[in-house]
Amino acid sequence: MTTPLIEMKDVVKSFGRHHILRGASLTIEKGEVTTVIGKSGEGKSVLLKHIIGLMEPDSGQILFEGKEFKTMKKAERKQLRSRFSYVFQNTALFDSMTVYENVALPLKEKGELSKKEITERVTTRMDQLDLHEIGNKFPSQLSGGMKKRVALARALVTNPEIVLFDEPTTGLDPIRKNAVHSMISDYQKKFGFTAIVVSHEIPDVFFISQKVAMLDEGQILIQGAPQEIQQSKDPIVQGFLRGMEANHDALTGLGTPTQLERRFEQEMELQKQQESNFSLMVFTVENLEEINEKVGHVAGQTMVKNFAAWLQQHLRANDTCSRYGMAKILAVLPNTTRKDAQKVCSKLARAARGEKITDAELYPGFCFSVSAGFAEATDDSPIDTVLAAAESRENMLYAFRITK
Ligand SMILES: Nc1ncnc2c1ncn2[C@@H]1O[C@H](COP(=O)(O)OP(=O)(O)OP(=O)(O)O)[C@@H](O)[C@H]1O
């Protein structure tokens, strides 16, 4: 087994008689997005501050690549800190500085690069984050989403290996929330950093995380892949998730993954009792990353939202539709064999031709590409198995290519 990038072992932290962390243990793997969830006031920000070295534990250990922070010399700690970056809840941009100056600040503070090198680095990052046109503006002239993007550019300008995001979507509307999530996910892939995110956005944040950890009563109650957390039988985990999850997906107005899974199980029961057939259909926006890159994350999320609305209108009344990932929508089709599902799919593809489903037509030479797959649920197979079948090559149709 390889040594984790960061390991918290039995970390205890109290403020006076207020016991916040009571033996928290968490493992962060390199190159992954780990999201920390938990009730308000549980100590998630305190946990982040321990990771970045802004707070020291009363007891317990924090290890970086196997070495304990406490035992490091001053220079070593400083060097380690320079590998980190932190995106605060409120973006914390300096109002008296332009966007360019805000982004350049961490490099100037470090004092390692020449003026020319700083200009080059800042210009590149701003181009990559689509900020080049607003370099001379001041934060007060920007929208909330743009400010987040500037904060992200500032956090990434030093080429950090580890980026901590403390509730990065607070106060944003659903499209911008999802835009920030897709931004974190895309840039994480592009720049390869390790991300640690604190968030209340459930289930949205599960779509971008490789690992989710839940802080409860000062301890990490559970950590694992998002699906493991969602499928956990632990009543505290289930209670928390149910309490956090809205009745519908905020971006698309469709159902939530949990609702879809429940519907799947109900249909499976019916299938056993009445020998009825049902199918699963999956729609994936294949080029969402490209869309994000070319026309921006807000435009990308707006297209997903519009496509979902179109789909909802065109599916049958009994079909249950839910967002199931950043670029994925899943539908349970009751009383539907594989052959029927194929027909539904082809019909949808025909209906899509020539319709203004998204704003894609606003962008010349632009393509909004959705693949659709289908599979019949059989023999008590779990949803993941049926989904994998629906996503397999032989069941996949590149159904919608909306190009203008
Ligand atoms: N420096 C400090 N001194 C004293 N108490 C503190 C300090 N920092 C945090 N706390 C307390 O620790 C508790 C946990 O705070 P923290 O901000 O980590 O919670 P959280 O889980 O991030 O909450 P939220 O989700 O609402 O942001 C709070 O009761 C807070 O008042």
Side-chain angles (χ1 to χ4, degrees):
M1 239 172 76
T2 53
T3 313
L5 181 66
I6 302 168
E7 223 178 335
M8 291 183 93
K9 285 185 177 172
D10 290 324
V11 169
V12 171
K13 181 73 175 179
S14 302
F15 299 106
R17 277 191 289 165
H18 208 162
H19 306 300
I20 309 296
L21 301 180
R22 304 167 185 222
S25 298
L26 174 67
T27 308
I28 306 289
E29 301 294 345
K30 196 176 160 71
E32 286 191 350
V33 178
T34 299
T35 297
V36 182
I37 58 172
K39 288 189 294 242
S40 208
E42 274 294 332
K44 302 183 293 297
S45 301
V46 168
L47 190 105
L48 282 194
K49 284 177 186 154
H50 277 82
I51 293 177
I52 206 169
L54 287 174
M55 282 184 181
E56 296 225 352
D58 299 338
S59 65
Q61 292 177 303
I62 300 172
L63 308 169
F64 294 89
E65 290 160 344
K67 188 158 185 196
E68 194 176 356
F69 186 71
K70 228 165 50 183
T71 64
M72 291 181 194
K73 300 222 166 66
K74 213 173 160 191
E76 210 177 346
R77 285 185 187 206
K78 194 172 168 220
Q79 199 272 333
L80 178 66
R81 281 204 186 119
S82 72
R83 294 165 62 188
F84 277 92
S85 200
Y86 198 103
V87 183
F88 292 95
Q89 256 181 52
N90 53 8
T91 69
L93 297 175
F94 291 101
D95 286 336
S96 59
M97 293 183 181
T98 63
V99 165
Y100 179 91
E101 287 164 347
N102 264 288
V103 177
L105 188 66
L107 292 178
K108 285 191 182 149
E109 279 178 344
K110 268 192 157 182
E112 288 167 1
L113 299 180
S114 69
K115 218 172 160 185
K116 185 167 167 266
E117 285 167 327
I118 291 179
T119 308
E120 274 171 16
R121 178 83 73 82
V122 175
T123 310
T124 310
R125 274 291 174 272
M126 287 187 44
D127 280 349
Q128 284 167 327
L129 299 181
D130 220 6
L131 295 170
H132 44 281
E133 283 175 9
I134 60 161
N136 290 326
K137 292 206 166 165
F138 288 90
S140 59
Q141 297 172 285
L142 306 178
S143 67
M146 264 185 178
K147 279 189 206 163
K148 296 264 179 207
R149 218 154 5 121
V150 177
L152 203 53
R154 189 176 62 180
L156 298 181
V157 79
T158 53
N159 291 338
E161 285 173 55
I162 309 149
V163 189
L164 281 68
F165 298 88
D166 196 352
E167 297 186 31
T169 57
T170 311
L172 297 180
D173 63 62
I175 288 184
R176 285 182 175 77
K177 268 183 191 168
N178 279 280
V180 169
H181 287 149
S182 70
M183 232 152 66
I184 294 175
S185 178
D186 285 359
Y187 298 143
Q188 190 273 333
K189 283 183 209 141
K190 196 163 169 179
F191 302 122
F193 54 78
T194 303
I196 307 166
V197 186
V198 163
S199 178
H200 290 281
E201 306 298 343
I202 294 168
D204 300 29
V205 82
F206 286 13
F207 301 154
I208 62 161
S209 312
Q210 279 79 45
K211 188 196 258 178
V212 175
M214 180 173 163
L215 185 67
D216 185 69
E217 302 284 336
Q219 295 192 333
I220 297 292
L221 178 64
I222 185 169
Q223 54 184 311
Q227 264 184 338
E228 282 171 53
I229 309 298
Q230 277 169 311
Q231 288 164 6
S232 160
K233 298 272 185 274
D234 187 311
I236 299 174
V237 177
Q238 273 311 316
F240 175 74
L241 294 184
R242 245 181 271 127
M244 292 305 294
E245 204 175 275
N247 290 330
H248 59 268
D249 172 54
L251 177 74
T252 59
L254 300 178
T256 63
T258 319
Q259 285 166 343
L260 188 105
E261 280 160 17
R262 258 186 242 135
R263 180 71 198 270
F264 181 91
E265 279 159 26
Q266 284 165 0
E267 287 298 328
M268 196 52 99
E269 273 308 305
L270 275 178
Q271 190 186 58
K272 274 189 260 172
Q273 288 163 14
Q274 303 175 1
E275 293 189 11
S276 58
N277 305 79
F278 79 100
S279 292
L280 202 63
M281 200 175 269
V282 55
F283 302 89
T284 308
V285 184
E286 294 288 346
N287 61 339
L288 189 59
E289 264 183 51
E290 192 193 334
I291 296 171
N292 290 336
E293 191 151 308
K294 285 193 180 148
V295 290
H297 291 78
V298 168
Q301 292 305 309
T302 308
M303 287 184 203
V304 172
K305 180 184 155 105
N306 292 344
F307 176 68
W310 179 88
L311 201 57
Q312 181 79 326
Q313 275 174 13
H314 285 75
L315 282 172
R316 302 160 310 179
N318 270 344
D319 301 335
T320 299
C321 211
S322 146
R323 198 148 74 101
Y324 214 69
M326 216 60 216
K328 202 171 280 196
I329 294 172
L330 213 59
V332 170
L333 314 182
N335 297 316
T336 307
T337 60
R338 183 188 180 280
K339 215 169 157 196
D340 295 336
Q342 188 166 10
K343 276 188 203 151
V344 174
C345 198
S346 304
K347 207 168 149 193
L348 284 170
R350 274 200 303 279
R353 264 173 228 141
E355 276 207 41
K356 277 194 180 178
I357 298 178
T358 67
D359 290 334
E361 54 273 3
L362 296 179
Y363 308 100
F366 194 75
C367 170
F368 180 77
S369 174
V370 177
S371 64
F374 42 84
E376 193 172 318
T378 46
D379 302 332
D380 223 2
S381 301
I383 191 163
D384 297 346
T385 311
V386 186
L387 177 58
E391 289 188 317
S392 68
R393 250 211 179 134
E394 64 268 29
N395 290 330
M396 211 70 184
L397 274 180
Y398 281 85
F400 314 93
R401 276 190 183 277
I402 302 153
T403 321
K404 294 273 156 160

